[in-house]
Amino acid sequence: MKEHTKWNIFMKFRTLSKWDSPDSCKSLIYFAQLLDEMLFDYTLDTYKPSVMNTPTLGVETLNTIKDVDAGIIQPKNVEHLTAELIHNLSHDRVAQTLLGEAYSAFLNKLKNPKLGAKEKKSIIEMLVIQLPANLYKEKSEELILAELKSPQWERSVIRRLSRNYISLLLYIGFSQNNLKNLAQKFFYYGDNRITSNADAAAFFSSIKLERKKHKIYFIVEPVFLGAEPTFKRLSLATEDAPPEEFSDNPFFKNLQRKNIVSVSNIDALDLYSAREIAENHLKIASSFLNIYHHKDKPTWSNEALVISENDSLKVSESVNPMKKCKDLKHEKAQKRLELLMSEFSLENSSFSKFLRSIQLHSMALKSESVENQLLNLWIALESLVPTETKSNDVATIEHITESIIPFLNISYIDSLIENLARDLLLWDRHKLNAHFKGVPGTKSKHKLANIMILPEYEGTRNSLSSKFRNYSLLSDRFEHITNMISTPASIKSTLDNHQLRLEWQFRRIYRTRNNIVHSGKGQQFTPLLVEHTHNYLDKIFGILVSLASRPQKIRSVTQGFRYVKIIYDQRYETITKNGFIFDIESIRKNLLWD
């Protein structure tokens, strides 16, 4: 439904001009490109860092056990979390190395269906104790470096280690912007030279697990001073003048009847995360002021001056998680809207239901609080799911999950191929089109799917993959997706694994939603959940709109959910039948959405 205007920044091949010998640093080039993509704000969900890894899952499971004991959530949540923990632990080289002989013992115990609740809790507690953030970070860096230096290095190993590594860093409080800037400076734009794969050690040394005290300055509108009674409690203070050593800093020029507010003693790992924490203090003060002051919204500067012991930096606000999505350009959006209003047709009751969900989506876009964003997005999702299809013996979260997954799975392989086609067009349109000559298909994704799957295009496939040269990330992407969709068996595995991950993710969103409702607090990963939930909702909107437009296939939202499930089930059954073989027509009918 959306196509981001910043897409041309994504999957961009950056120059290797500061690399002395790129041909001998292929593993490090891949690692650098991987980081660049993972830390980009508008990267697709599929290629972002994992929301959770083994140590953070252990902590989440223990917190969930506490919530179960307190009667806040149902015990079944622990079962699903344990399954996710087992899955992650089974593929975690870092945890395996740190746990030593306890690794197999813990894993076998957790897999035992007869394991008692108390013993399970005890095992997970011991697992968390032995996987602290500092040791997990150090061991991750050690294993990544070893793999980078190995003559037999494997991209899949580097990919998994790197995703877990970045996931941990984000979870414990490093800012995505800080990590992105560190990576780009080290690998592409800084003064240092890259001479060998071992240089990764110098990059890791720049990511210091050291918390420092920060003071952050904002420029605020005068109305914000109405919240002054809250300032002391929130470590805020009004400043009559800039600090003497920064009096000439451009940040404090042209105040024009505005005021300076500082936030002190912010404990953070970097300047960017310090700014995010400080701004949350301003948001709380603003919320208190809005209780009594409704007409004027308290606002502050987009930029803030962040000062620590040795550093100072002017830091802009980070991208709102609701805006980390693909948007249509203005002209294209207007045409889509005109088409939607002329062709989109649902019964009145269903149109009202759809409209309400869109309004909740809009409320989430306008909110500055990630907790409110998640609440509005979840209600928007829940309000779309038909109650008529729910059995009395099925829990609400199970019904929502079962209803939404067909929408996300039916378009999953299609989106992988379509986005890969866009990456390839961005890489080299002329080379790609040369390989598309003579391949059937009305769209790039149709031609690409045929090349990647059908044996008669093996020569074309090999020729295309040989052209990527130093673009290791794109080469890996092409090879990885080809393996995911090359046979009916691999497609079944791909869809089953995606469904399992979605089930875990929906339960995590639901648990986080419950925590916000009961305690008013989100989690460290709430912004990431907002991104994922927003993406899920947009996909459902897009499919419902297409089904209710010409040629019309449904007249109600309920029919839309039933239609998608029927079609998805039929496709899945067709692909998984013994003896099924792909051809041009069956690829179009069973893998692609349009």
Side-chain angles (χ1 to χ4, degrees):
M1 188 173 185
K2 296 187 174 183
E3 182 179 334
H4 206 278
T5 56
K6 298 190 180 183
W7 187 268
N8 60 342
I9 304 174
F10 175 49
M11 277 295 283
K12 180 180 180 180
F13 179 78
R14 298 186 189 277
T15 178
L16 301 177
S17 58
K18 65 178 289 182
W19 296 62
D20 291 339
S21 181
D23 288 341
S24 64
C25 298
K26 291 189 180 296
S27 61
L28 188 59
I29 290 172
Y30 174 64
F31 177 65
Q33 292 171 348
L34 197 61
L35 292 185
D36 198 31
E37 181 181 54
M38 281 194 291
L39 296 169
F40 179 54
D41 284 320
Y42 303 98
T43 293
L44 294 169
D45 288 351
T46 305
Y47 310 131
K48 287 176 181 175
S50 308
V51 176
M52 308 295 290
N53 61 16
T54 303
T56 59
L57 269 170
V59 172
E60 186 186 11
T61 307
L62 291 177
N63 290 335
T64 303
I65 290 171
K66 288 180 185 177
D67 289 340
V68 169
D69 292 341
I72 297 175
I73 60 175
Q74 296 297 317
K76 202 165 186 181
N77 284 280
V78 178
E79 294 178 23
H80 293 282
L81 265 173
T82 304
E84 188 177 1
L85 178 60
I86 290 169
H87 175 83
N88 277 264
L89 186 58
S90 300
H91 299 87
D92 193 335
R93 286 194 179 190
V94 179
Q96 182 177 4
T97 307
L98 289 174
L99 293 171
E101 64 179 352
Y103 173 78
S104 297
F106 284 173
L107 195 54
N108 291 332
K109 275 287 187 182
L110 289 171
K111 287 179 178 179
N112 184 356
K114 297 180 180 178
L115 184 67
K118 288 184 178 180
E119 189 175 2
K120 177 186 289 186
K121 180 182 177 183
S122 178
I123 290 170
I124 297 173
E125 285 174 338
M126 289 186 286
L127 186 148
V128 169
I129 289 170
Q130 294 179 62
L131 299 177
N134 61 327
L135 292 184
Y136 196 92
K137 175 182 178 293
E138 290 172 8
K139 186 56 67 175
S140 294
E141 293 166 349
E142 179 186 318
L143 293 179
I144 293 171
L145 185 59
E147 190 67 24
L148 292 173
K149 293 162 66 176
S150 170
Q152 288 80 39
W153 66 278
E154 295 180 28
R155 287 184 296 202
S156 60
V157 174
I158 294 173
R159 188 193 319 123
R160 182 177 290 276
L161 287 170
S162 301
R163 282 171 63 87
N164 278 338
Y165 176 62
I166 297 299
S167 174
L168 178 85
L169 296 181
L170 294 175
Y171 184 90
I172 61 180
F174 282 98
S175 164
Q176 178 178 325
N177 282 332
N178 178 59
L179 295 174
K180 176 179 65 178
N181 291 341
L182 286 174
Q184 290 187 358
K185 181 180 179 182
F186 185 86
F187 292 112
Y188 301 109
Y189 306 125
D191 295 331
N192 61 301
R193 302 293 302 175
I194 306 293
T195 59
S196 72
N197 293 323
D199 286 350
F203 170 69
F204 291 136
S205 67
S206 70
I207 305 174
K208 296 179 173 63
L209 197 59
E210 299 173 1
R211 305 192 80 87
K212 295 179 181 178
K213 294 291 184 183
H214 299 76
K215 189 169 185 176
I216 300 91
Y217 292 88
F218 291 89
I219 308 300
V220 304
E221 297 289 344
V223 68
F224 188 84
L225 299 186
E228 200 159 6
T230 68
F231 282 12
K232 185 176 180 181
R233 183 90 177 259
L234 296 170
S235 302
L236 273 65
T238 55
E239 303 284 348
D240 295 329
E244 187 174 344
E245 63 271 35
F246 293 96
S247 58
D248 294 331
N249 192 295
F251 177 77
F252 294 107
K253 300 299 181 185
N254 303 319
L255 290 176
Q256 298 177 340
R257 291 179 303 207
K258 295 182 181 179
N259 301 91
I260 304 170
V261 166
S262 65
V263 190
S264 301
N265 296 317
I266 296 297
D267 191 44
L269 288 167
D270 59 61
L271 299 171
Y272 294 86
S273 57
R275 187 214 183 281
E276 291 177 18
I277 296 168
E279 187 168 43
N280 285 334
H281 288 224
L282 266 65
K283 289 177 180 177
I284 294 170
S286 173
S287 297
F288 275 110
L289 179 59
N290 283 145
I291 296 175
Y292 306 105
H293 202 297
H294 301 91
K295 294 180 181 178
D296 297 318
K297 182 180 178 182
T299 58
W300 48 88
S301 53
N302 172 52
E303 294 179 325
L305 183 65
V306 185
I307 301 171
S308 67
E309 301 167 7
N310 306 314
D311 298 307
S312 65
L313 184 68
K314 190 165 62 173
V315 180
S316 297
E317 67 177 341
S318 56
V319 178
N320 187 318
M322 278 296 296
K323 297 177 182 177
K324 292 184 179 182
C325 62
K326 298 180 289 178
D327 279 338
L328 293 172
K329 293 182 179 179
H330 177 73
E331 298 81 5
K332 197 170 183 180
Q334 186 174 355
K335 289 180 181 178
R336 285 280 186 93
L337 186 58
E338 289 172 357
L339 191 65
L340 170 63
M341 298 314 294
S342 64
E343 295 188 354
F344 184 52
S345 177
L346 288 176
E347 296 171 350
N348 286 339
S349 59
S350 271
F351 186 78
S352 298
K353 186 183 183 79
F354 188 80
L355 179 60
R356 178 58 180 157
S357 190
I358 288 176
Q359 289 170 332
L360 287 162
H361 172 272
S362 180
M363 288 170 63
L365 276 170
K366 293 174 183 176
S367 176
E368 295 298 323
S369 162
V370 291
E371 288 79 15
N372 287 340
Q373 289 169 359
L374 189 67
L375 289 177
N376 282 317
L377 289 173
W378 181 260
I379 299 169
L381 272 177
E382 191 171 1
S383 65
L384 270 181
V385 174
T387 55
E388 305 96 300
T389 58
K390 181 181 180 299
S391 304
N392 292 331
D393 57 343
V394 174
T396 299
I397 180 59
E398 291 179 4
H399 174 61
I400 293 171
T401 302
E402 290 171 2
S403 300
I404 292 175
I405 282 178
F407 280 84
L408 305 180
N409 254 17
I410 203 169
S411 59
Y412 180 55
I413 290 175
D414 179 286
S415 66
L416 288 176
I417 298 171
E418 181 173 28
N419 287 308
L420 177 59
R422 288 177 179 173
D423 292 337
L424 291 167
L425 286 166
L426 182 62
W427 158 70
D428 195 317
R429 180 179 294 271
H430 297 296
K431 285 181 182 175
L432 182 63
N433 286 335
H435 285 81
F436 278 170
K437 281 184 179 178
V439 180
T442 56
K443 296 182 178 181
S444 294
K445 66 178 179 182
H446 299 157
K447 295 175 180 286
L448 184 58
N450 293 333
I451 288 173
M452 296 173 78
I453 295 172
L454 298 177
E456 56 262 41
Y457 295 108
E458 183 179 3
T460 306
R461 182 165 63 246
N462 292 337
S463 173
L464 179 59
S465 65
S466 70
K467 300 292 188 294
F468 299 135
R469 304 176 114 181
N470 280 331
Y471 206 166
S472 297
L473 182 63
L474 187 58
S475 176
D476 178 57
R477 179 72 37 78
F478 184 83
E479 180 183 327
H480 183 58
I481 295 178
T482 299
N483 290 335
M484 290 171 69
I485 66 174
S486 57
T487 66
S490 62
I491 289 173
K492 179 182 185 304
S493 177
T494 296
L495 293 175
D496 290 347
N497 289 334
H498 188 238
Q499 176 169 333
L500 186 61
R501 293 196 303 273
L502 287 171
E503 289 171 358
W504 290 335
Q505 190 77 307
F506 274 110
R507 289 187 174 276
R508 176 164 294 108
I509 296 166
Y510 191 58
R511 284 194 304 273
T512 305
R513 174 261 179 203
N514 287 344
N515 281 331
I516 294 170
V517 169
H518 291 292
S519 68
K521 295 180 181 179
Q523 305 284 348
Q524 295 96 322
F525 47 75
T526 301
L528 284 173
L529 294 185
V530 168
E531 293 179 42
H532 287 283
T533 311
H534 186 194
N535 184 45
Y536 302 154
L537 188 61
D538 279 351
K539 284 185 177 178
I540 295 171
F541 282 158
I543 291 175
L544 287 176
V545 167
S546 69
L547 294 178
S549 303
R550 286 186 293 180
Q552 189 176 14
K553 296 181 176 67
I554 61 168
R555 292 190 179 277
S556 71
V557 170
T558 299
Q559 286 179 0
F561 275 81
R562 284 186 169 139
Y563 180 88
V564 170
K565 178 168 173 49
I566 289 170
I567 299 301
Y568 175 69
D569 288 348
Q570 177 180 286
R571 288 184 171 196
Y572 185 87
E573 184 181 350
T574 300
I575 292 170
T576 55
K577 273 183 182 175
N578 287 335
F580 177 78
I581 298 174
F582 276 119
D583 55 29
I584 291 171
E585 185 63 20
S586 63
I587 288 174
R588 188 187 62 80
K589 280 187 175 180
N590 294 289
L591 294 187
L592 303 176
W593 178 241
D594 60 357

